[in-house]
Each structure stands twice: as structure tokens, then as C-alpha cells.
Amino acid sequence: MYAQMVETGAKRLRSLEELGPEERAFQERVDADVRIEPKDWMPEGYRKTLVRQISQHAHSEIVGMLPEGNWITRAPTLKRKAILMAKVQDEAGHGLYLYAAAETLGVSRDQLVADLHSGKAKYSSIFNYPTLTWADIGAIGWLVDGAAIMNQIPLCRCSFGPYSRAMIRICKEESFHQRQGFDIMIKLCQGTSEQKAMAQDALNRWWWPSLMMFGPPDADSVHSAQSAQWKIKILSNDELRQRFVDQTVPQADYLGITMPDPLLKWNEDRGQYDFGPIDWEEFYNVVKGNGPCNRDRLRTRVKAWEDGAWVREAALAHAEKRAARAKKAA
Amino acid sequence: MSNEWPLWEIFIRSQHGLAHKHVGSLHAPDAEMAIKNSRDVYTRRNEGVSIWVVKSADITASSPGEKEPMFEPANSKVYRHPTFFPMPEEVKHI
């Protein structure tokens, strides 16, 4: 979701008996729900997978500021503008919590950022879609943040202490994001017919990409199985997606707008909604870098990093100069 | 690769009377900026009334490998807990 298709390096799942003594002790701690902390022994695959997963999650928070930042200057009222700024600032904060969690695994912030900029590290596919109207800001809060919450709540129980703690902080703040989005949708849907049509149009464009956020079906994925064994993935992509659909459809009913899915239907036997097939070709295309905004997003990030370089250097030089002066005076 | 700003550990006191608690870390060029940045990163919702920042490099931590010899001695000293001593029913306020 915010982390999609995270590679674990595993070829197949091994049983406890096949593990060496250290790895076995590690797995037993994980099985007993004991948190793993940065200085504890851990398998190299666990460490590397977590770096990939947490950094991908962090990058998503940071890149995720761009589609919404696009509307800060054009928010319809001062109140909406202040709220949107607070929301985007939260995303920056979430990125920072997560980068810090990744850094406890022995990777530097500069390296993480460099991997994003070179395209080696990914961020969620969802942020490669454009925000064309104000209703998109409502749809993002409602759907994208709603999907994020769905994924992040179980991760509060994940096996790696710093990641779990970052998730707990983030989840506390995320609910505001979803509600502010739904509040925008309510206002639009109670407005003029043009405003309601704008809300419907945003739902049409964001619904399928939101479902893709959970990633492809992972029933047969050895990486998902490995991540589940390590308890850094708690529920499967399809389970999370189904829960999200079941939770969101009644909300759309309340708004009086409809999902762009003719096959969406309540299934009495399953007690869940059936929904139509997802266009995974579109998903893979976006992940490969060919979504509507991939190049633009990366270009903007790289430019911000490069344009800010002199500030980072000057602040460091200033701090060093002051430290040297204080030392001399002492 | 350019020089990274050093890493700081951030401690926040949530309200008067409680101890500062570790909340996370961040990069900043100096202590003053570390405090300003932690205000924005860790107290956006009135989480704190006081911030401590400590350079991560200045923290000395106990080693997880020595957890047993370090903490095991307390295990056998249950008499340090008040519940170790059964008190007669009729004795009050103790």
C-alpha cells in the first residue's frame, strides 16, 4: 500500500527447524510478539526488507505532499487552506518519523534520499495521479488516507519496535486527514449540481487507483509470506482491500455518489461486497514509472533537494563556526 | 555525498509533573535548530510543555547482548515488592 510489493530476498519460507540458532531465537521472539529493537540480532534479510519497506513508506509520505500541495494556494476558503496546510505538514512529519525509524537500521538519510531520487527506491503508485480539481483533495483524504489507515493500524503491531512506534504516532494523526477529506466531499455533495458532479468525477478517477494501493493479490507471493512470518506484514493485500471496500461503499452511499464499478454488489452469503476486476496492467505501468505524473513528481523532489543544498550546508557551517567560537572562549 | 546534519534524540515532557519521554529523533545542524525542528515534528498537537534534545552520538546504551547479566539479578529479589509480604486481614492501612 504505502509500501507495495516489498522484496524480501526469500526464495521460499523455511521452517523453524531449518534456521540456525540465532535466527531461530529471533523467529521465536517474533512469534511470541516480542518487539525487535535496532541493536538486537536480526537476519540480514529482515533488516534489508525493513529498510526497503520503511523507506518506501517514508518516500510516499514525502512525495504525497506534492499532489495536495498543488491546491494550497487555491483552497476555496482561508479555513480550508489552513486545514490543508496542517495536513500537508503532518505528511512531512510522518515522513520524518519513518526516515528516523529506517535510520535505526544503519542506513543514512542521505542514502535513503539518494535512492528515491535515482529511482532505486519506490513510493506508492497512488501519488503519480494528478489532482485536477478541489474535489480531488476531498477524495484523497477520504479514500487515500482511508486506505492508508486500513494498512497502518495493523502495522502498529509489527515486530520492529521503531516502525511500530512510528505507526502508532502516525495513526493517531491520520484520522484527521480522512475526516477532513470526507468533510470536503460532504460539502460538495450538498452543494450545487456542478459541485456534486465534481465530487463524483473525483471518485471516478480515484476509486480504482485507491484499490490498487493495497498492491496485487499476494496469495502466491513468497515475499508476502516471508514478511508475514517476520510480522512486518500483518494482513494480506486482498484482506485489506476487501475491508476497505466494505467500509467505504456505505460512505459513498451517504454522499449520494457511486463507485465507478458496475460489478460492485453486496454479497449476502459472504457478508462482503463483490467488486469488479482491477486493471493490474495500469498498476504495473505506474509502478514502472509511466503513470501520469511519475516524472514530474521525481523532478520536483530532486529540484527541492538540490535547491535546498546551500541552506543545509550554510546551517552546518554556521553551527560549526559557533561551536568553534564557544570552544575558544572557554 | 555532502555532510549530513547530526542526529538528535528528542525527549518531550507532556505536562507538568511528568518526566521527559523519548519520542523519536531528527537531524539538525545544532541544538537550537534541533529544538525548533522538534517543536514542528513532535508537538503539532500540544503534546509537550518542554523539550530536551541530546545528540544521538552522546548517548551510551546498555548492550542488548548483556541483557541477562545486567537485569537478571533483580529477578531473584522478589522481596523488593510489597506484595511479597502477606498482611493479616485485620491489619488496616498498610
Side-chain angles (χ1 to χ4, degrees):
Chain A
M1 86 112 14
Y2 268 31
Q4 295 159 330
M5 301 196 298
V6 179
E7 159 90 34
T8 59
K11 301 271 186 295
R12 64 180 184 86
L13 219 52
R14 292 166 303 156
S15 67
L16 265 187
E17 292 69 39
E18 293 175 87
L19 305 176
E22 274 179 318
E23 192 164 359
R24 189 170 170 165
F26 166 87
Q27 187 61 51
E28 281 167 352
R29 290 183 66 195
V30 170
D31 292 343
D33 283 328
V34 177
R35 293 280 183 279
I36 306 299
E37 295 297 334
K39 288 192 170 169
D40 294 340
W41 185 91
M42 61 183 79
E44 190 55 17
Y46 177 83
R47 195 187 69 80
K48 281 190 175 154
T49 305
L50 270 176
V51 169
R52 273 193 286 266
Q53 179 171 337
I54 302 174
S55 68
Q56 196 183 119
H57 199 152
H59 298 327
S60 299
E61 302 282 358
I62 298 299
V63 177
M65 295 198 286
L66 299 175
E68 293 185 294
N70 179 34
W71 277 91
I72 288 177
T73 57
R74 293 173 291 162
T77 65
L78 188 57
K79 185 174 140 202
R80 293 283 184 200
K81 189 198 289 260
I83 292 171
L84 184 56
M85 281 201 290
K87 197 226 173 211
V88 172
Q89 193 190 8
D90 270 356
E91 306 298 1
H94 296 178
L96 292 176
Y97 307 156
L98 287 160
Y99 281 132
E103 286 172 80
T104 65
L105 291 159
V107 56
S108 76
R109 175 76 59 91
D110 279 356
Q111 187 58 52
L112 295 171
V113 172
D115 286 348
L116 171 68
H117 293 174
S118 72
K120 187 180 163 213
K122 300 288 181 209
Y123 56 88
S124 176
S125 56
I126 193 77
F127 301 115
N128 291 311
Y129 291 86
T131 40
L132 304 178
T133 72
W134 172 249
D136 289 18
I137 300 306
I140 288 182
W142 173 36
L143 302 173
V144 175
D145 289 290
I149 293 172
M150 195 54 85
N151 179 55
Q152 288 169 174
I153 292 218
L155 282 177
C156 293
R157 294 181 281 123
C158 79
S159 63
F160 187 56
Y163 192 28
S164 141
R165 292 191 284 272
M167 281 295 111
I168 291 168
R169 277 196 89 82
I170 289 174
C171 284
K172 276 189 194 158
E173 299 178 348
E174 202 81 69
S175 179
F176 144 57
H177 298 178
Q178 193 188 15
R179 285 185 178 203
Q180 67 86 34
F182 196 69
D183 187 60
I184 291 174
M185 297 303 276
I186 291 178
K187 271 286 177 308
L188 288 170
C189 290
Q190 291 172 345
T192 64
S193 57
E194 284 93 338
Q195 286 169 327
K196 189 162 180 184
M198 195 194 272
Q200 178 66 60
D201 167 64
L203 173 58
N204 291 348
R205 283 180 291 108
W206 288 94
W207 177 245
W208 292 110
S210 298
L211 295 190
M212 291 175 199
M213 280 177 74
F214 296 96
D218 50 8
D220 307 322
S221 161
V222 65
H223 300 305
S224 295
Q226 178 62 76
S227 292
Q229 189 177 55
W230 282 334
K231 291 196 185 166
I232 53 178
K233 185 178 186 119
I234 312 292
L235 295 171
S236 80
N237 296 349
D238 286 330
E239 267 176 290
L240 289 166
R241 184 165 22 242
Q242 182 70 54
R243 285 187 187 194
F244 176 70
V245 171
D246 294 342
Q247 149 187 309
T248 312
V249 174
Q251 295 167 352
D253 292 344
Y254 175 86
L255 294 172
I257 50 182
T258 49
M259 308 307 186
D261 179 359
L263 298 175
L264 184 77
K265 201 166 136 263
W266 177 253
N267 184 322
E268 197 64 57
D269 297 338
R270 290 201 303 132
Q272 292 174 322
Y273 282 93
D274 293 333
F275 52 95
I278 292 170
D279 181 0
W280 291 113
E281 206 171 312
E282 172 182 329
F283 170 79
Y284 287 115
N285 206 27
V286 173
V287 169
K288 270 189 222 132
N290 302 318
C293 302
N294 294 58
R295 286 171 194 81
D296 189 49
R297 299 283 185 248
L298 263 194
R299 200 164 38 227
T300 308
R301 279 313 311 153
V302 171
K303 183 175 186 306
W305 179 255
E306 286 173 356
D307 288 354
W310 72 271
V311 180
R312 295 191 297 277
E313 285 159 21
L316 197 59
H318 179 68
E320 280 164 0
K321 187 181 77 183
R322 290 219 316 194
R325 207 179 278 161
K327 208 170 171 187
K328 218 172 173 184
Chain B
M1 194 137 294
S2 64
N3 275 345
E4 263 191 18
W5 287 350
L7 193 67
W8 301 77
E9 299 304 322
I10 314 302
F11 300 81
I12 307 259
R13 180 158 67 205
S14 58
Q15 50 182 292
H16 291 289
L18 291 183
H20 285 77
K21 191 177 164 215
H22 183 243
V23 292
S25 28
L26 53 74
H27 290 274
D30 57 28
E32 198 185 327
M33 284 302 295
I35 286 187
K36 285 187 170 145
N37 290 350
S38 11
R39 199 271 314 257
D40 291 341
V41 178
Y42 291 109
T43 67
R44 288 193 302 281
R45 288 173 177 77
N46 299 317
E47 288 93 336
V49 293
S50 164
I51 301 175
W52 285 352
V53 299
V54 182
K55 253 191 197 165
S56 309
D58 290 340
I59 289 184
T60 309
S62 65
S63 145
E66 286 164 20
K67 200 153 49 184
E68 277 203 2
M70 186 88 163
F71 301 109
E72 196 275 331
N75 285 347
S76 56
K77 297 172 182 62
V78 282
Y79 42 82
R80 283 176 171 163
H81 297 279
T83 46
F84 178 76
F85 307 92
M87 287 291 126
E89 272 289 325
E90 52 272 39
V91 178
K92 305 292 178 200
H93 308 297
I94 188 162

